[in-house]
Amino acid sequence: MQWEVPVVGPGLGEICGPASAVQISLVCSLVQVIGHSNFGSIRATTCVYKGKWIYEVLISSQGLMQIGWCTLNCRFNQEEGVGDTPDSYAYDGNRVRKWNVTTTNYGKSWAAGDIVSCLIDLDEGTIVFCLNGVSLGTAFDNITRGAGMAYFPAISLSFKESVAFNFGSRPLRYPFTGYRPLQDPPSMDLVKAHKLLGYLKNVIHIGIDVLEGKLVEKDTSTWQLQGEPTVLITLAHIFNHFAPLMCKVYLVEDVLMNFLLSILERGGSVEAHPLIQQLLDLMWLLMEDYEVHECLKQLLMSLLRAYRFSPIIPDLGLQIHYLRLTIAVLKHEKSRKHLLNNVLFDVLRSVVFFYIKSPLRVEEAGLQELIPTTWWPNRFTKEGKESKEVKEESAEERLRRRAYDRGCQRLKKRIEVVEELQVQILKLLLNNKDRGGGEASRYIFLNKFRKFLQENASNRGNLTVLCPPEYMVCFLHRLISTLRCYWDGHKAKAPAALSSEEAYVPPQLFYNGKVDYFDLQRLGGLLSHLKKTLKDDLALKANILIDPAELQAVTMDDLDEDEESATSTAQRPVAALAIGGALARPSWLSSPTLGRANRFLSTAAVSLMNPRRSLGTLEKMKARTLNVEQRTEDDIEGSHGNEGLLLGRPPEEPEQSITENSLLEILDGIVMMYNLSVHQQLGKMVGVSDDVNEYALALKDTEEKINRCPKKRRDIYEELVKSQKVFSEKLNHLSRRLAWINVTIYSKEKMQDVYWLLRVCIRTIEHGDRTGTLFAFMPEFYLSVAMNSYSALKNYFSPVHCMEELPGYEETLTRLAAILAKHFADSRIVGTDIRDSLMQALASYVCYPHSLRAVERISEEQRISMMRNLLAPYEQRPWAQTNWILVRLWRGCGFGYRYTRLPHLLKTKPEDANLPSLQKPCPSTLLQQHMADLLRSDCDMAPSFLNSVLNQLNWAFSEFIGMIQEIQQAAERLERNFVDSRQLKVCATCFDLSVSLLRVLEMTVTLAPEIFLDWSRPSSELLLRRLAQLLNQVLNRVTAERNLFDRVVNLRLPGLESVDHYPILVAVTGILVRLLMDTDFQGAKRATAVLLADPCFQLRSIQYLLGHAEPSALAATPPSADKRHFSLHTYTDYISLEELAKVERMLSHLSEESKQAAASILPTSEEDLCPICYAHPISAIFRPCSHKSCKACINQHLMNNKDCFFCKATITAVDDFTKPASS
C-alpha cells in the first residue's frame, strides 16, 4: 500500500510496519489516514534531498500522533514511531512535544480542525512546524544531510486517530514564501483559468448600448443574462475553454471559489448578490452536465474543507464568509437539488456545515479580548457539593461576575450569527415548494436523511461512516429550529393543525411500514414477532392486513439462519407493506447484519382493508415496491385518499390534522439522533464545568494555606504563591472556554430545545399507549430519549440554567412520572435493557423532592397500580432496584434513618455529590399509605411479598457472611496477598442489600403491623417466626464479641467503607422497637413470645445495642483503652432521645420476659420436641398421615412443598396438636 503522490526526488515507496496498521483513502484529493493499530507508522512514497519543502496535515482528531519527516533507514514498530528513531523528526501536539530519539517541550496543543504545516529546509538543515499558519519556532537544526540522505513525510498515530495530508493537490491553506509543496501546482492551467475569468468579468462589467452602438460599464450586482446574441456567443466561447478547467480540484478552489467569495465581500445579505445565481444559470446553460456536476461537487468540498479548518477568530468572520457562499450556491434550485441528490450526504459529511467547533486555545480565538474579565462560581464546599449557606457576594465578585456575563453575551451574539446562517441552509434544504424540474428539495433531503440515520445506527464501530457526536449535537439544534419554523408556518396557513408546542409523532408511523427503523429494537421485541402475534389487532384497529399465506413463508427456521442464499431470497414473493405507495424493505437492508427481523419484512405482504371489512372478503391489491431513496412526495404526504405516512390511523388517535407528514418523519429522525449520540456528548462536555469546580476548590484551598502560612517559612510561602498563580491561569483559561461551551451547547435556547424534545416524546408515548397492544410497535428509543433528556435537563444544564424556569415544568414532570410509574412493569415492554432503564429512572425520580412530588401528583389509580407492581414478589425480576425504590420512600421515617451519609463515613470518605443515595431524605407518606392499604386489603399479596423479601434477606446476608469469611482468611495469611477488588465490591453490595431489605421490613411492620401480629390472618404467625429467626441470626453475627464481623470492619479495606455496625444494627433495632414497643398489648405479647421462643435468641445481643458488654467477656479480659464498644448512645445526632428511651424500655421488657419464660418452662422430654428442629415442642399434626412437628417447621415447609416430611404423602390439612394430659 502506498500513498499516490507526485514524485519529488527519488520515487521510493514503502510502508513501515504491517499494512493493516493504518487505513489510507483518497478523500477530496487529500490523502486520509486512519489508525488501525496501537501505534501504526507510515511514510510517503516521495522524498526530498535538497531545497525547501512543505506539506500540510489537516487534524481530524486531536489524539496521540507524531507528524514529521523520516529517512529510508528508519524502522518503526508498535512501540517506536516517527521521532523515536535516529534521522526521524516529529511534532506531537497532543502532548505538546517534539521528538528525535529524546523529547522536549515544543509548540502548542492542537485540536480537531487545526492545520499543521511541516517545513523542511535541506539547504540550512532545519525543520519547522506551524499551527494554523503561525510558526512554532525551529524544532530541529543541523539535521543529517549529504549523500544518500533523503526525507519522506511520515506519521505515527494511535488507534482510530484520523488526519488528511495535502501535498499540493489542493492549494495550501498557509503557504510560506520560499517553500514548495511536494506536488507542484498546475501553473499553466492557473494562468489560463485566471485569464478566462478576466474575460468573464469583462463581459459582466460591460454591456452593449444598442441605441448608441457602444460599450458601456454596468453594475455587476444587477447583471442579468438578457439573451443578447453577442453576449451569449462571447460567453459560450469563454466557457468552451473555461468549463474543462473547472473540473479540476485545484482550480475550483483557487480560482472559482475565491471569485465567488469576492462577490459576497461587498457586504449585505446573500439576496443582495443575485450575480452568483446568474453565474450558476450560465454554468448549467453553457457547460456539459458532467462538467457542472464535477464543478459543483468540488466547489462544495472546498467550501466544507475551508469552513471546517478555518481557525476561530473573535468575530467568526471566516466561518460566516464560507457559510454565506454556501447559502448563495444552495439558493440556486437546480444546483441545490443536484447537490442534495448526489453530494451533500453521499460524498460529503455535510453535517460539518452545522458544527461550531470549540477552541482549545482561547488566546488564538480572541476570547481574552471578548471576555477580558473571568469569573467562576465560588459556592462549593471541599467535598464538591454546593454550599448549603449561600454566602453574601462581595462587591468585587459581583463586578467580576457582571463583567463576565457581559462578555458571554457578546460571544453569544456572534455565535448566533453563525447559527442563523446554518438554519438558513437547512431551510433551503427543507423547501417543499421548489417543484420546478422535479421533486421538491424536502423530499430529497428526507430520503437522504433517513439513510444518514441508518448509517449511524448500524455502523456504531465504523468511524469512517459515523457522524462525530459533537457534529450531531449542533445538527440536532439547527434541525429543531428549522423544523419548528416550518411547522408553525404550516399552522399559520392551516389553523386546524397543531402548533410545534403540541408536536408529537403519531403511533401509526411505528407499524404501517412507511418509515424505516432499520434493526432498532421495538418495545414488544422483534418486528417479525409483532407482525405475527398482533396481526389481528392491526386488522381490527388500524385496517392493516398481513396476508396469512405470506406469514407462513417465514418459518422459525428462516429466522434462525445467519445467512440466506441469493436464490432463496429471489424466489420469495415481495409485497408492499401497505397500499398507497408504501415502502417495502430495500434490497440493501436484507443483509444478515441488519437483523433477522428485516429479512422477514421483505416477505410480509401488508395491505389496506376497507373500514371494518371482514378478513374473509379481503381483495388482493397491487402496490408499488419502493426503495427508501425512491419515495416521492405522494408516498410521504399522501394524495387522492392515500394518507401517506399516516396510513392505518387507530380509532384512539384523533382525526385532527397534525402538520405536514414530511415534518413528522423529520421529527422522528430528530428523536433518533438524540438517542444515537447527542445525549452522550452532552454528558461528556460537562467535564469542563467539573474541571472549573476542581480548580476553584484547589485555588480556594491554596489561598487559605497562604493566609495560614507562618512568616518564617518563606520557602513554603513562595511555593504556595506559585501554585496559586498556576491555578488562577488555568481557571482564567477554563472559564473562557466554559463560556464558549455554555453558549454553543448549554445555552438557554439549547435547553429549551431539549425540553421541547422531552415533551414531544412524552406526548408520543401517551398517544402510543392509548392504542393498547399496538404500543408494542413503538421503537425503544422514544422511552430512552424521554428519560435521558430529562436527565440532561436536570444534570447537565445546571447551574447555568434552572429547569424550574421552563414553561409547564411541573406538568411535564408529572406526565413523565405517570409514564415511568405505568411502564416500568408494562407487560407490552419485553426488552430487558429498557425495562431496567425504566426502573432506574423511577428509582432516581423518587430520590429528589421535586420529582417525588410529581409522582405524588399523578392520579390515585396510577399511584396504587405503581405500588402494586412494586409489591409484587421479588423472584424472577430485578428486585434490588424495586427494593431501593421502596427504601427511598421510607428513608427519613425509620429508626435512626434520617442521615444523608452514613455517620462513620463523615470523616473517612470524601462526599460524592452525584450519588443519588446522598440526597437528603424525602419520604412520601402518601405512597407509604398506599402500600399499607394494599398489604392490608390483599390477603395474598402480603404473604407472597414478605416471604420473597425474607428469602432475599436470607440469601443476601448469608452471601455477605460467606464473603467476609474468605476476606478474613486472606487477611490472616502470613504471605503477602491481595483481596480481589471485585469481591470486595460484591461483598459491600450484599451488605447494602441486607440493610435495605431490613428497612423495607421495618417499613412494613410500621405501616401494617397486623400482617405479622394479627394471627387470624393466614401466614401471619409464620411470617413473624421467620422474621424473628432472621433478626436473631443477624444480631448474633454482628454483635458477638471479637467476632468475624468486628475483625473485617476493623480492617477498613477500600471498597468496604459502607460495612459497619451502625446501618445494620439500627435497621434491626427499628423492627424490634416497632414490634415490641409501638404496638398494642396483644401484639407485643405475641412478638415477645415468638422472639424468645426462637432458639437463636440471645439477650446479650440486645444489650450490645446500648453498649452493655458481655459479662463473661469482661471477666476474661480487662477492657482496653483504645477498644470502643458500639452503643446507640454515641449517635445522638442521628437517633432521638425518644428512640433511645424506647430501646431502653425494650431491653428491660425482654430481660424481664426472658426471666419469666426461663422460670415457667418445664423440662421437655426429647419425645415431645419437634423431630425436625429439636427447638420447639410439637404443636401441629398433619392430615391425613398424622405425622407431627412444630408449627414453624411445617408452615415453612408448606411454602414450597406439599409432601409430608416423613412419608411423602400429600398434606391436605394441618391441625393444632396438644399433648393429652394423661401423657
Side-chain angles (χ1 to χ4, degrees):
M1 192 183 297
Q2 299 177 348
W3 288 354
E4 296 298 327
V5 294
V7 174
V8 179
L12 299 176
E14 180 182 338
I15 292 180
C16 304
S20 61
V22 295
Q23 174 186 317
I24 305 173
S25 56
L26 200 62
V27 180
C28 307
S29 302
L30 303 175
V31 180
Q32 186 180 56
V33 179
I34 301 176
H36 272 208
S37 65
N38 182 43
F39 196 57
S41 301
I42 191 171
R43 62 167 164 253
T45 58
T46 299
C47 63
V48 291
Y49 53 90
K50 65 178 180 180
K52 298 180 179 180
W53 303 93
I54 181 176
Y55 70 92
E56 289 182 341
V57 184
L58 286 61
I59 306 296
S60 302
S61 63
Q62 62 194 47
L64 180 60
M65 295 178 279
Q66 293 173 200
I67 301 171
W69 303 86
C70 73
T71 64
L72 189 62
N73 296 325
C74 295
R75 293 290 178 265
F76 306 123
N77 54 44
Q78 292 294 311
E79 304 297 329
E80 294 183 334
V82 181
D84 297 325
T85 62
D87 299 328
S88 68
Y89 306 88
Y91 161 52
D92 174 3
N94 176 264
R95 292 174 288 189
V96 196
R97 305 183 77 81
K98 61 180 180 179
W99 299 79
N100 174 235
V101 183
T102 59
T103 178
T104 54
N105 293 331
Y106 174 78
K108 299 177 181 178
S109 61
W110 60 36
D114 285 342
I115 296 179
V116 175
S117 304
C118 303
L119 292 75
I120 187 168
D121 184 345
L122 288 164
D123 298 330
E124 298 294 331
T126 59
I127 291 177
V128 176
F129 296 98
C130 306
L131 191 63
N132 295 327
V134 178
S135 175
L136 301 177
T138 301
F140 305 101
D141 52 18
N142 296 321
I143 63 173
T144 308
R145 291 168 289 165
M149 295 299 296
Y151 287 89
F152 297 80
I155 182 173
S156 300
L157 69 174
S158 295
F159 183 59
K160 290 189 177 180
E161 301 301 335
S162 174
V163 296
F165 285 80
N166 180 14
F167 297 111
S169 58
R170 284 178 173 267
L172 295 178
R173 187 61 187 272
Y174 303 106
F176 285 83
T177 305
Y179 286 83
R180 291 173 55 191
L182 273 69
Q183 182 176 348
D184 284 329
S187 303
M188 296 296 293
D189 286 342
L190 275 172
V191 172
K192 190 175 179 181
H194 281 295
K195 186 176 290 186
L196 289 166
L197 184 62
Y199 297 155
L200 179 60
K201 289 178 182 177
N202 289 338
V203 173
I204 294 169
H205 278 86
I206 299 172
I208 301 174
D209 189 333
V210 180
L211 296 176
E212 297 290 333
K214 61 181 183 180
L215 300 175
V216 293
E217 287 195 8
K218 281 190 173 183
D219 182 5
T220 56
S221 63
T222 60
W223 183 85
Q224 288 186 341
L225 182 62
Q226 300 292 347
E228 298 171 0
T230 307
V231 174
L232 274 175
I233 292 170
T234 306
L235 288 172
H237 277 295
I238 294 172
F239 271 90
N240 185 48
H241 298 282
F242 192 56
L245 297 176
M246 290 300 100
C247 296
K248 299 180 179 180
V249 177
Y250 198 103
L251 300 177
V252 169
E253 184 168 332
D254 194 59
V255 179
L256 180 62
M257 188 175 81
N258 287 331
F259 170 56
L260 296 177
L261 286 170
S262 67
I263 295 173
L264 294 175
E265 281 177 352
R266 301 164 192 169
S269 66
V270 176
E271 289 79 2
H273 301 285
L275 179 58
I276 293 178
Q277 307 296 306
Q278 295 291 320
L279 289 172
L280 289 169
D281 282 336
L282 273 179
M283 291 170 64
W284 282 101
L285 178 67
L286 300 175
M287 294 170 67
E288 297 290 341
D289 282 353
Y290 74 88
E291 293 173 330
V292 183
H293 296 168
E294 185 62 23
C295 180
L296 287 173
K297 172 184 167 184
Q298 298 301 339
L299 177 60
L300 256 290
M301 285 180 170
S302 298
L303 280 171
L304 186 82
R305 174 175 167 265
Y307 175 79
R308 182 182 182 189
F309 291 99
S310 292
I312 300 291
I313 58 176
D315 63 354
L316 298 171
L318 295 173
Q319 286 77 8
I320 291 172
H321 205 37
Y322 296 123
L323 287 175
R324 278 165 51 84
L325 179 53
T326 304
I327 292 171
V329 173
L330 292 176
K331 274 186 172 293
H332 190 265
E333 182 179 329
K334 193 172 183 180
S335 301
R336 175 171 70 248
K337 290 182 179 178
H338 166 75
L339 291 168
L340 257 176
N341 262 318
N342 303 286
V343 177
L344 285 178
F345 284 94
D346 297 339
V347 179
L348 294 180
R349 267 186 178 167
S350 54
V351 179
V352 173
F353 279 124
F354 310 112
Y355 174 55
I356 302 177
K357 64 182 178 182
S358 174
L360 284 181
R361 301 173 300 277
V362 297
E363 65 279 359
E364 292 178 18
L367 293 184
Q368 287 177 326
E369 293 76 20
L370 204 59
I371 309 175
T373 304
T374 58
W375 173 86
W376 48 87
N378 201 19
R379 60 179 185 280
F380 292 91
T381 64
K382 290 185 179 180
E383 288 78 22
K385 283 184 70 73
E386 290 192 41
S387 176
K388 296 176 184 177
E389 300 176 2
V390 179
K391 295 181 180 179
E392 190 66 31
E393 195 177 37
S394 67
E396 182 184 356
E397 285 181 338
R398 191 180 305 111
L399 288 173
R400 282 183 59 203
R401 177 174 56 79
R402 289 175 178 175
Y404 179 74
D405 289 343
R406 287 194 297 271
C408 292
Q409 287 300 315
R410 288 192 293 269
L411 175 64
K412 183 178 180 182
K413 288 179 181 178
R414 298 185 181 187
I415 288 178
E416 282 176 346
V417 174
V418 176
E419 292 178 344
E420 178 55 36
L421 292 173
Q422 293 170 333
V423 170
Q424 285 184 38
I425 292 176
L426 273 175
K427 285 181 178 178
L428 290 170
L429 300 183
L430 292 183
N431 186 352
N432 66 335
K433 306 299 181 187
D434 55 346
R435 296 185 178 87
E439 202 170 17
S441 298
R442 180 184 295 178
Y443 306 105
I444 305 172
F445 173 87
L446 202 55
N447 294 329
K448 296 292 183 181
F449 179 53
R450 208 72 200 174
K451 186 179 178 183
F452 164 80
L453 292 173
Q454 189 235 349
E455 289 172 346
N456 281 274
S458 304
N459 294 280
R460 305 308 296 269
N462 188 349
L463 284 180
T464 58
V465 177
L466 275 182
C467 175
E470 58 270 25
Y471 295 2
M472 199 78 95
V473 172
C474 295
F475 185 34
L476 176 107
H477 288 298
R478 308 303 173 267
L479 200 52
I480 287 176
S481 299
T482 310
L483 174 73
R484 297 193 66 177
C485 176
Y486 273 111
W487 194 300
D488 290 330
H490 177 76
K491 165 73 175 173
K493 296 175 186 175
L498 297 179
S499 70
S500 64
E501 282 296 333
E502 305 167 290
Y504 72 96
V505 179
Q508 53 264 50
L509 261 69
F510 307 136
Y511 57 73
N512 65 14
K514 293 282 190 168
V515 177
D516 191 354
Y517 288 100
F518 332 125
D519 56 346
L520 297 178
Q521 187 76 1
R522 307 299 181 104
L523 292 178
L526 285 174
L527 191 56
S528 56
H529 168 73
L530 294 175
K531 291 283 187 181
K532 282 183 177 180
T533 55
L534 299 179
K535 63 180 183 295
D536 293 339
D537 293 321
L538 281 172
L540 181 65
K541 293 185 176 182
N543 293 334
I544 290 179
L545 179 71
I546 300 178
D547 190 342
E550 294 294 342
L551 278 176
Q552 290 171 5
V554 182
T555 64
M556 291 306 296
D557 291 336
D558 294 327
L559 294 177
D560 288 338
E561 290 171 1
D562 287 333
E563 295 182 2
E564 283 185 323
S565 66
T567 307
S568 63
T569 305
Q571 288 173 350
R572 289 186 177 179
V574 179
L577 293 180
I579 287 297
L583 278 175
R585 301 291 281 194
S587 59
W588 47 268
L589 278 182
S590 298
S591 66
T593 57
L594 294 185
R596 303 182 179 100
N598 294 325
R599 296 206 299 273
F600 163 78
L601 286 182
S602 66
T603 69
V606 184
S607 55
L608 178 65
M609 295 173 57
N610 291 327
R612 303 296 174 260
R613 179 181 294 183
S614 65
L615 293 179
T617 59
L618 178 69
E619 297 176 4
K620 298 289 183 182
M621 301 184 69
K622 196 172 181 180
R624 288 180 293 161
T625 301
L626 297 177
N627 186 290
V628 170
E629 296 189 21
Q630 293 174 337
R631 291 186 301 173
T632 64
E633 179 179 349
D634 288 346
D635 300 320
I636 297 169
E637 301 290 1
S639 64
H640 308 298
N642 166 28
E643 295 180 89
L645 293 184
L646 298 183
L647 177 71
R649 181 179 60 83
E652 297 84 1
E653 187 66 12
E655 295 186 19
Q656 177 187 13
S657 169
I658 302 174
T659 187
E660 296 168 286
N661 290 356
S662 51
L663 298 181
L664 291 174
E665 186 172 340
I666 294 172
L667 176 57
D668 176 77
I670 288 172
V671 178
M672 191 187 299
M673 281 173 59
Y674 187 92
N675 184 64
L676 289 175
S677 58
V678 171
H679 181 73
Q680 177 187 3
Q681 183 65 16
L682 288 177
K684 180 180 176 183
M685 297 308 293
V686 175
V688 178
S689 177
D690 294 340
D691 290 344
V692 170
N693 294 336
E694 288 179 13
Y695 277 102
L697 285 170
L699 178 62
K700 183 180 177 182
D701 186 49
T702 305
E703 289 172 346
E704 290 175 357
K705 289 178 180 177
I706 289 175
N707 293 334
R708 297 196 307 267
C709 182
K711 294 182 180 180
K712 298 178 181 178
R713 298 306 305 268
R714 191 70 185 172
D715 54 337
I716 296 177
Y717 178 80
E718 289 175 356
E719 288 299 320
L720 288 172
V721 170
K722 286 181 184 177
S723 299
Q724 182 188 31
K725 183 180 178 182
V726 170
F727 292 145
S728 297
E729 289 176 354
K730 190 67 177 179
L731 274 168
N732 288 332
H733 170 88
L734 285 174
S735 65
R736 292 187 176 103
R737 185 159 177 248
L738 185 61
W740 183 284
I741 291 172
N742 284 339
V743 169
T744 56
I745 298 178
Y746 299 118
S747 69
K748 186 175 182 180
E749 292 75 17
K750 309 299 184 298
M751 186 181 191
Q752 289 169 344
D753 283 348
V754 176
Y755 181 60
W756 179 78
L757 202 58
L758 167 62
R759 290 163 67 94
V760 165
C761 289
I762 289 174
R763 281 189 288 268
T764 301
I765 294 166
E766 290 172 345
H767 279 264
D769 180 38
R770 293 176 199 143
T771 63
T773 54
L774 298 184
F775 179 60
F777 283 96
M778 179 179 286
E780 283 185 354
F781 65 76
Y782 272 90
L783 279 170
S784 297
V785 172
M787 294 181 284
N788 289 335
S789 55
Y790 167 71
S791 173
L793 290 168
K794 183 166 66 75
N795 298 318
Y796 301 158
F797 287 87
S798 62
V800 181
H801 300 289
C802 186
M803 189 179 174
E804 284 80 357
E805 300 170 358
L806 295 167
Y809 159 78
E810 296 286 346
E811 180 207 359
T812 301
L813 238 61
T814 306
R815 290 168 71 180
L816 181 58
I819 287 172
L820 296 175
K822 179 173 185 178
H823 297 301
F824 83 92
D826 192 337
S827 60
R828 295 171 295 180
I829 301 174
V830 300
T832 305
D833 290 342
I834 191 67
R835 289 175 72 93
D836 286 349
S837 298
L838 285 165
M839 183 73 78
Q840 290 168 12
L842 182 60
S844 176
Y845 226 69
V846 299
C847 283
Y848 302 92
H850 59 281
S851 51
L852 178 60
R853 303 298 165 245
V855 176
E856 294 179 338
R857 287 196 298 270
I858 65 178
S859 69
E860 183 177 357
E861 180 185 357
Q862 289 176 315
R863 294 197 303 268
I864 293 174
S865 175
M866 178 188 78
M867 294 308 298
R868 180 176 286 109
N869 288 322
L870 288 173
L871 295 176
Y874 280 2
E875 283 79 14
Q876 297 179 350
R877 71 190 187 95
W879 60 270
Q881 284 286 359
T882 302
N883 196 77
W884 199 70
I885 293 172
L886 294 175
V887 169
R888 289 300 307 180
L889 299 178
W890 178 243
R891 191 173 201 169
C893 297
F895 183 94
Y897 202 36
R898 292 169 293 278
Y899 54 81
T900 300
R901 301 185 67 239
L902 289 170
H904 67 280
L905 292 182
L906 283 174
K907 296 180 181 180
T908 60
K909 187 179 178 185
E911 186 170 1
D912 185 350
N914 297 322
L915 283 181
S917 59
L918 299 182
Q919 297 301 316
K920 288 183 179 179
C922 50
S924 172
T925 53
L926 178 62
L927 296 178
Q928 288 175 20
Q929 190 58 48
H930 289 324
M931 176 179 172
D933 293 342
L934 284 168
L935 291 173
R936 288 194 192 103
S937 61
D938 194 328
C939 292
D940 295 327
M941 175 185 288
S944 61
F945 168 69
L946 289 170
N947 274 315
S948 67
V949 173
L950 292 168
N951 289 340
Q952 300 299 347
L953 174 59
N954 185 37
W955 169 83
F957 191 71
S958 299
E959 287 290 315
F960 168 70
I961 293 299
M963 288 183 184
I964 62 173
Q965 284 175 344
E966 295 178 11
I967 292 169
Q968 174 65 17
Q969 290 169 4
E972 288 179 346
R973 294 194 192 105
L974 294 177
E975 66 272 15
R976 184 176 179 81
N977 57 81
F978 299 92
V979 181
D980 187 0
S981 59
R982 288 174 297 180
Q983 185 181 7
L984 293 174
K985 185 176 181 181
V986 173
C987 181
T989 302
C990 287
F991 179 80
D992 294 338
L993 287 174
S994 301
V995 173
S996 65
L997 287 162
L998 285 166
R999 286 298 184 180
V1000 169
L1001 289 169
E1002 179 194 20
M1003 180 183 184
T1004 309
V1005 169
T1006 305
L1007 299 175
E1010 60 268 32
I1011 295 171
F1012 293 93
L1013 302 177
D1014 181 3
W1015 286 6
S1016 64
R1017 297 171 64 98
S1019 304
S1020 287
E1021 184 181 356
L1022 171 64
L1023 288 172
L1024 184 59
R1025 291 187 186 280
R1026 288 198 68 194
L1027 177 62
Q1029 182 184 28
L1030 281 169
L1031 294 180
N1032 283 324
Q1033 288 178 5
V1034 172
L1035 282 171
N1036 292 342
R1037 288 285 192 175
V1038 176
T1039 61
E1041 288 290 336
R1042 300 182 303 281
N1043 67 356
L1044 177 67
F1045 186 87
D1046 259 344
R1047 292 197 295 271
V1048 172
V1049 167
N1050 291 330
L1051 288 175
R1052 296 298 175 194
L1053 297 172
L1056 291 184
E1057 292 89 352
S1058 64
V1059 178
D1060 193 74
H1061 293 82
Y1062 181 85
I1064 195 163
L1065 289 181
V1066 171
V1068 171
T1069 306
I1071 298 173
L1072 292 174
V1073 166
R1074 302 300 183 198
L1075 287 172
L1076 302 175
M1077 297 289 104
D1078 294 344
T1079 56
D1080 57 25
F1081 174 77
Q1082 185 65 30
K1085 182 178 179 182
R1086 286 175 178 164
T1088 303
V1090 170
L1091 191 67
L1092 296 179
D1094 187 83
C1096 297
F1097 174 76
Q1098 297 182 34
L1099 186 62
R1100 65 156 186 83
S1101 297
I1102 309 298
Q1103 295 169 340
Y1104 183 94
L1105 299 174
L1106 294 171
H1108 300 171
E1110 192 175 353
S1112 60
L1114 287 173
T1117 56
S1120 109
D1122 59 344
K1123 174 67 176 175
R1124 296 183 61 187
H1125 290 283
F1126 174 85
S1127 173
L1128 295 178
H1129 287 295
T1130 61
Y1131 294 95
T1132 52
D1133 290 341
Y1134 306 96
I1135 303 174
S1136 67
L1137 294 177
E1138 181 186 356
E1139 288 173 330
L1140 285 171
K1142 287 182 180 180
V1143 180
E1144 295 277 7
R1145 292 205 310 272
M1146 180 180 72
L1147 176 59
S1148 301
H1149 170 73
L1150 289 174
S1151 299
E1152 184 64 29
E1153 290 294 325
S1154 61
K1155 289 177 184 176
Q1156 292 181 11
S1160 62
I1161 292 175
L1162 297 174
T1164 305
S1165 66
E1166 189 173 334
E1167 290 79 11
D1168 294 333
L1169 289 175
C1170 170
I1172 304 301
C1173 64
Y1174 285 95
H1176 303 104
I1178 293 173
S1179 56
I1181 183 168
F1182 317 155
R1183 301 298 182 200
C1185 63
S1186 298
H1187 285 109
K1188 306 177 189 69
S1189 76
C1190 66
K1191 283 185 178 180
C1193 288
I1194 187 58
N1195 286 339
Q1196 190 160 355
H1197 176 69
L1198 289 177
M1199 288 174 57
N1200 303 308
N1201 197 326
K1202 301 297 182 184
D1203 296 339
C1204 174
F1205 289 112
F1206 310 101
C1207 65
K1208 303 303 179 184
T1210 301
I1211 299 174
T1212 58
V1214 178
D1215 296 333
D1216 290 342
F1217 173 79
T1218 305
K1219 186 177 180 180
S1222 60
S1223 302

